[in-house]
Amino acid sequence: MSGETLLAAGYVTVLLLVVIGLDVYGRQSTGAWESRIFTGYHRVVEQAPVRADPDAWPHSEVHRFHRAVSLFVSVVALVLTGAEAVRHHAPAEVALLVAVAVPHGVLLALLGRRLRAARVAPPG
């Protein structure tokens, strides 16, 4: 097994951790109404503003951005493993590359479905 294949497999595994980290980070709420500071303010002040509709402007599309970046990183990982499989096509090397590429393919399908299903509420 060549060192280049091992290096590519390791790099694709690191990219898998990046994809998972970006997706988890993108799931965090960025709304002002969910902030702990505003919650404390709402408890202390008697005439605090009434909670707004979550669909009202301003809204955040941070979760869509992180999901799109995650999709791009997964595509890069799949292209890298495909290129390595073309360059080094011994059975053991191809098996290793397929083993590190399958999670990216699964995440690509899952994140793509979630990105398409996410509702877009433009301001206005």
Side-chain angles (χ1 to χ4, degrees), residues 7 17-18 22 26 31 37 41 44 70 75 83 87 100-101 106 109 114-115 119-121:
L7 180 65
L17 297 174
V18 169
L22 280 171
I37 294 171
Y41 173 77
V44 174
S70 297
V75 168
R87 285 181 47 89
V100 296
V106 170
R114 286 183 184 168
L115 187 62
R119 62 186 169 138
V120 178

Side-chain angles (χ1 to χ4, degrees), residues 28-103:
Q28 294 180 1
S29 175
T30 57
W33 297 102
E34 286 85 18
S35 95
R36 292 185 304 176
I37 294 171
F38 188 75
T39 303
Y41 173 77
H42 192 65
R43 282 189 209 139
V44 174
V45 177
E46 295 175 8
Q47 298 176 348
V50 180
R51 183 181 176 97
D53 180 27
D55 293 332
W57 192 85
H59 63 283
S60 176
E61 296 292 332
V62 172
H63 63 284
R64 290 177 56 88
F65 172 76
H66 283 94
R67 198 154 283 151
V69 172
S70 297
L71 283 170
F72 178 75
V73 172
S74 285
V75 168
V76 167
L78 290 174
V79 168
L80 179 64
T81 54
E84 279 299 311
V86 168
R87 285 181 47 89
H88 304 282
H89 45 272
E93 293 171 334
V94 171
L96 175 65
L97 292 171
V98 167
V100 296
V102 165

